[in-house]
Amino acid sequence: MTFFLRVLAGIALAAPAAAVAQSQEAPALEAPSFEPEAGTVRSADASRVADWVTASGDNHGLPFAIIDKPNATMLLFDAKGEQLAQEPVLIGIALGDDATAGVGSKKLAEIGPAEKTTPAGRFLAKFGIPFRKERILWVDYATSVAIHTIPADAAKKERRRERMLSPTAEDNRVTFGCINVPRAFYGKLLRPQFAKKGGYVYVLPDSKPLEEVFPRLRVHELRTAAVR
């Protein structure tokens, strides 16, 4: 992902506001345009998944998002497979593609460092049970993984804003497993797309083969190759 994209996302995070919901980050003074920049570069794995989902209809007529963990990036698509945005994200601090059994029932203070992973896979995400008086976009309710903005009560020493806006992905691993996104992007695009019926979230793996995480991808590619 280009440095320009991270700076662009910073417009949505840079200006503080007088009052915000407890689970929200300060709003921006002006909302940026979320049209994907001409020439935006996707990773090879993100492109494979996007092509497969769009060509096969794996999203079942719903909007979808791809979380590219290795590059700390989210790609958002509408129901027809048109890319709407590419934004930096914060993800689980620990490398890993599987959630620890029972982690969803633990208190935050009980979750060990190695358990703070953002699990890979295909998830049907929907807004659900309120969290701190706000409905939240649950990716995997069983493991307490959700997509939301940077919490207002996040420890200052974590420097989540700075990490999200940095030009590299190396410092974007800081959460307990949830996926943090820019506030304006969340309100202007992500929430409206997923608000009615939800949508699918495809979380790319850190180390597992892509075909192991998404078996249908391999089937689709084999069928496509066979008819060429």
Side-chain angles (χ1 to χ4, degrees), residues 28-40:
L29 291 176
E30 56 182 290
S33 169
F34 292 107
E35 290 298 322
E37 179 191 5
T40 294

Side-chain angles (χ1 to χ4, degrees), residues 10-18 20 25-30 161 183:
I11 298 174
L13 296 169
V20 294
E25 191 183 15
L29 291 176
E30 56 182 290
R161 278 191 181 184
R183 178 177 172 81

